Every structure is written in structure tokens, then in C-alpha cells.
Amino acid sequence: MAHWSDLRSGATADATQRRRGRVVNDVHGQLHPTRVDRVVTPRSDDEVQASVAEARRQGRPLAISGARHSMGGQAFGRDVVLLDMTCLTDVLGFDPHRGLIEVQAGIDWPGVVGELLRAQHGWTRRWGIAQKQTGADRLTIGGAVSANVHGRGLRMKPFVADLENVTIVDAQGRRRRLSRHLDSDLFRLVVGGYGLFGVVVAATLRLVPRRKVERVVSVEAVEDLAGLFENRIVRGFQYGDFQFAVDAASPDFLRRGVFSCYRPVDPATPVTAEPRELSEEDWFGLLRLAHLAPTEAFRRYAEHYQGTAGQVYWSDTQQLGVYLDAYHARLDRALGATVPASEVITELYVPRPALAGFLGDAARELRRRGVPVIYGTVRLIERDDETFLAWAREPYACVVFNLHTEHSPAGIDRAAGAFRSLIDAALDRGGSFYLTYHRFATRQQVQAAYPQFGEFLKLKRHYDPDGLFQSDWYRHYARCSAPDLAGRVSS
Ligand SMILES: Cc1cc2nc3c(=O)[nH]c(=O)nc-3n(C[C@H](O)[C@H](O)[C@H](O)COP(=O)(O)OP(=O)(O)OC[C@H]3O[C@@H](n4cnc5c(N)ncnc54)[C@H](O)[C@@H]3O)c2cc1C
């Protein structure tokens, strides 16, 4: 691969920063303020290896964080040494013949997309990323590897399919390259393994040809959705999702939604020069309305989206969007809330023919429990036949709910009950749920969705016998799922 250093500016190596006894939290849900022993910010692989060696010497567990957008304590733990990876942001190589880019694990999506654009400036045929998460951009590649994420591709597998290889520093402090051909068993565990098998220091991503796509928008009913998705796929559309109505008092609740899909167009088609788009203030206004007047929020959102039909985008940059950091604190002030709150996300998977039935059950359950949905989406995923802890066991429909959660014991209990009932509704239909968003699932629910979870924990012990890599999420499920591990997992 070509060396990248002459294509990139910035990134100088400073000394590792250490801050003792710091309280960290996740960005979106904010439900897990956690005091860590110290935060270490490595600037090179050598510094990662040195941190691993030092934590081993001190007998301190080590957790790894990217942008901390997971929710449930996956990225940190009480009294751990926290390895904050966000300063490892270099591009290490680019192979334009094979469409591969190797990046350090702390780089985020705008970083990857921006560097690719810079490197291919003026080229007629360019590479772009295949998929990234929707809803937030400043998420790291290490986080994407470790949660095995997905975007809004209509025919895509989770992120593992976009990975050529990853490089880790393992529990013994060794630097190892993993792929489908090199230490494939460990590769299958590291991807989707929530940072429990090693520190991902770099990953090589498989790119796709960058294309122009046109947005096609309509407002549809959920009963028709499975057929509509199928129709778009047959017609060659590449990306799409369905954003549903969220007013529990309306008959449209989780039944009608904005269906936006993207179809490739002739390369000669000009990209829309000044697309209609929502500013940060517009998004904040919509979020505020979704809390106060959800039918009006949906009406305005649908009107805006329908107004963007026909706009032409690039297939990679259309996946970038606005995320408002700490928006809920501002919202709490604007709404005069006496108890702080946030949205906590959950994602459920159901076989596609079961989608409408599942959403009907979800609507009943959420109304009964009085837990407000602030926004939610349906997407598709293809089966993941590679990772050990695969969540996409089938070609599923993926349903995301952002539930308003008050940060009081009663508010958290209410939301937790709703999350568990949604998981049950998905499991009843042969579905599953995503482990990245919270840790409210019961041991039985984890076992039902991930029958391999016990084996996953055993393999964790095999590769990391001293329990070096730990997080509060791991400690929680290790205690629930394998009581014999309880004594080995420090807290
Ligand atoms: C608003 C919002 C929208 C989202 N949308 C989507 C979506 O569309 N699709 C989707 O799949 N997910 C989505 N997510 C979830 C998100 O993609 C994952 O939680 C992802 O892991 C977050 O990346 P991060 O950099 O914040 O990782 P963190 O939250 O910091 O870490 C996540 C996990 O990865 C591990 N980890 C991080 N870096 C490394 C590393 N270098 N080496 C080893 N382990 C590491 C951590 O230990 C932890 O277990 C969304 C989350 C939010 C808040």
C-alpha cells in the first residue's frame, strides 16, 4: 500500500495524556456516569502496547473507548484504565487498485470520507465507503469494528463484510494482524466482540465505487413496507429506510412513515448543487416538537423529506448527517424539565414478513407503558455468516426506537420495562436485538437471542485468561450468564 503521510496533514505525536479518577459517560443515553482509574490517550501502536504492559504489571483491567456512543457501559468500567483511542486517526495506506484503505482505529467517518476525497481529487473514478451508521458521524472505526455496525444499505451485511483485516494488540501485548486467512477464529471474535479480545489499532476497509444516487421519497403504510423494500431492491436501489410516525395518540403511530430510498443514476447527472437540507437548528426544532407535539413533528419531517425527492447525492456523503451533541441537556432547559432525561436507543430484528405484526405489538406495548418514542426507523440487513456473536442471524428487518428516558429510578425502570417487552416481542417472532444500545436485556433474553453467548465468554477467558480487557457491560453479562466467572471479573 502507498504510504499516506505525504497526503495528510496534522496529527503530531504528543506525550500520552493521563487524567486520574475521571468520570466518563456515554454520549447519547448518559445513563452511566462511571469513575475510571485513569484515562490514557495513546498516540501510536507502541503507546498502546506500553499501556497494555503497564496495566498488566499493575493488575488493573483495561477498557477501550472510541467516541463513546454505545450505551450500556461497553466502552468503560469502574476503576479501569481507560484507553481512549480517539487520537489514533491516521490513514496508513490506500490501494486504489483493490479499493482498500487502512486506517488507525480512532479515526471517525468524516475523517475517512474526507481523506478519501482528498486523495482522489480530480480522479474520474473514485472509491467511497460502502456503509456507516446513520444518525451520527463522529463514531470511530474501532467502535464500528467492535459493534459490527450497519447502515441503511438495502442489500448489505453488517460491517464485517467491509473489512479486509484488522490489527490488534492482544491481551499479552502482542501486535497481531487478523483476517479471514490469518488467525480467523480471533478475527471472528474481535469483529462484534465489544473490545474484549484486544485493542483494535488499525483496520483495512473494503471500499465500493463512488456513485451518484437519487433520493426517492414517499409516505407509506407499514403493512406495505416489506413489499415496497423488495420492489426497491429488485429495481436496483442501494440504500433506504422508513422513518415512522411517533405520536402514540394517533392511529398512525408506528404505522405510517417516510420511505426514502436511493437509486443509482447516470454518472453524467449533476449532483444537486444546493440541496434542501435541515440545519442544526431545524433538527433541534424537530426534536423539541417530537417531545411536545409529535404529530406536528412528523408532518413537518415528512413535508421536508418529500421536498427533497429527486435530489442527487454521492453515495458516500449522503450517509453523513447532523448529530447534535448534548442536545438533551439543551432540550431539558427549553422544556423546563425538572428531571434530566435523554433518549435511549434500542434496535430489534425480526424476520421481514413479521415486521407489521411486530410493530403492531410494539405500538400496543409502548402505549400501555406510556413511554414516548421520539424517533424510529426501519432498515434491512443481510445475514452475517462470519462473526462469532453475529446479531444478523437472518436477513432481518431492523427496527430502531429512541425512547425518551427520564433519569430517575422510576423513569429508568419504565424505559427498561419497555425495552424488555420490545425484545420479547422480537424474540416471539424469531427475531433478535442489538447489544450495543443498553444492558437492560435479561439473562434469558441474551441467551435466547445469542445462544452462543456462554461460549463467547469461554473464548474470552481462553484468549484473555487474566481478564485484562473489561467493561461494565462485560462484567454485568459475565455475572448473569456465567456465575462461575463472577469471582474473576473485578469491579
Ligand atoms: C445516535 C446514534 C446513532 C447510531 N446509529 C447506529 C446505526 O445506524 N447502526 C449501528 O450499527 N449502530 C449505530 N449506533 C451505535 C454505534 O454505532 C455503536 O455503539 C458504535 O460502537 C459506536 O462507536 P464509538 O466509536 O462511539 O464506540 P464506543 O461506544 O466508544 O465503543 C463501542 C464498543 O467498541 C469498543 N471499542 C471501541 N474502540 C475500540 C478499539 N479501538 N479496539 C477495541 N475495541 C474498541 C468499546 O470497548 C465498546 O465495547 C448509533 C449510536 C448512536 C448514539
Side-chain angles (χ1 to χ4, degrees), residues 64 66-70 133-134 140 143 146 150 200 379 434 436-437:
I64 310 153
R68 295 181 206 150
H69 275 73
S70 52
Q133 302 94 318
T134 60
T140 65
S146 307
H150 71 120
V200 176
R379 293 174 285 175
Y434 204 4
T436 207
Y437 286 124

Side-chain angles (χ1 to χ4, degrees), residues 278 285-286 289 295-305:
L278 297 170
L286 274 179
L289 264 185
T295 287
E296 178 59 11
F298 179 73
R299 192 194 66 72
R300 288 198 198 172
Y301 178 82
E303 185 183 270
H304 165 76
Y305 251 75

Side-chain angles (χ1 to χ4, degrees), residues 235-396:
R235 291 168 53 201
F237 282 61
Q238 287 191 316
Y239 299 93
D241 60 20
F242 176 80
Q243 195 94 15
F244 45 74
V246 292
D247 189 346
S250 156
D252 288 342
F253 183 49
L254 313 190
R255 289 199 57 240
R256 278 179 78 235
V258 179
F259 187 45
S260 312
C261 291
Y262 298 80
R263 70 166 159 229
V265 290
D266 188 299
T269 315
V271 167
T272 306
E274 287 184 16
R276 266 183 76 166
E277 55 192 15
L278 297 170
S279 67
E280 293 199 356
E281 273 316 292
D282 295 332
W283 277 113
F284 184 75
L286 274 179
L287 280 167
R288 184 171 170 279
L289 264 185
H291 285 76
L292 289 175
T295 287
E296 178 59 11
F298 179 73
R299 192 194 66 72
R300 288 198 198 172
Y301 178 82
E303 185 183 270
H304 165 76
Y305 251 75
Q306 286 173 304
T308 65
Q311 292 187 169
V312 175
Y313 305 86
W314 284 104
S315 53
D316 51 0
T317 42
Q318 63 86 10
Q319 298 183 59
L320 299 171
V322 172
Y323 178 81
L324 304 175
D325 282 325
Y327 73 87
H328 221 291
R330 185 177 161 203
L331 207 52
D332 288 346
R333 286 192 298 277
L335 300 177
T338 49
V339 181
S342 65
E343 269 67 75
V344 177
I345 309 181
T346 192
E347 183 164 358
L348 295 313
Y349 308 114
V350 287
R352 294 173 191 178
L355 176 63
F358 167 76
L359 281 169
D361 283 359
R364 256 189 311 281
E365 209 42 50
L366 290 164
R367 280 188 174 120
R368 187 173 76 77
R369 292 173 180 272
V371 178
V373 184
I374 300 303
Y375 55 95
T377 316
V378 180
R379 293 174 285 175
L380 299 184
I381 196 72
E382 292 297 329
R383 190 165 89 86
D384 167 7
D385 47 10
E386 298 201 90
T387 64
F388 191 87
L389 207 54
W391 51 266
R393 295 196 317 251
E394 286 183 39
Y396 282 133

